[in-house]
Amino acid sequence: LLALKVEHPDNVHLLRGNHEEADINALFGFRIECIERLGERAGIQAWTRYNTLFQWLPLAAVIEDSVACMHGGIGRSITHISQ
């Protein structure tokens, strides 16, 4: 999905959901998968960088002033819309 966003930045839009929170994606195995694929040091570094990137994803979007898009679950660390 990230590659598609880079290739088509005006046509692909990514939103943040609960699995884009470090504690949730670690719980569901993303951290371990990064370590298994890349080794301890590089895996943790990749996982940390992905989670830094995820923090930049918007929580919601409005399409053509008529469709509101958002994930059904937002991570516990989000306590205010300004985040």
Side-chain angles (χ1 to χ4, degrees):
L1 291 175
L2 291 174
L4 284 173
K5 176 65 175 167
V6 170
E7 191 171 329
H8 306 284
D10 296 328
N11 296 318
V12 174
H13 306 283
L14 302 176
L15 295 177
R16 185 177 182 183
N18 62 322
H19 286 262
E20 287 72 43
E21 288 291 321
D23 59 339
I24 300 297
N25 65 45
L27 179 68
F28 283 91
F30 183 51
R31 183 177 184 273
I32 291 171
E33 183 176 351
C34 289
I35 291 169
E36 287 175 349
R37 289 176 182 249
L38 303 170
E40 182 80 22
R41 183 175 171 194
I44 291 173
Q45 185 178 35
W47 178 76
T48 301
R49 287 183 175 182
Y50 271 111
N51 281 291
T52 299
L53 171 112
F54 293 156
Q55 292 174 12
W56 286 93
L57 295 177
L59 294 174
V62 177
I63 301 172
E64 296 183 2
D65 291 324
S66 63
V67 179
C69 301
M70 65 195 76
H71 189 276
I74 301 298
R76 292 183 297 251
S77 70
I78 302 296
T79 59
H80 192 271
I81 194 70
S82 66
Q83 291 178 277

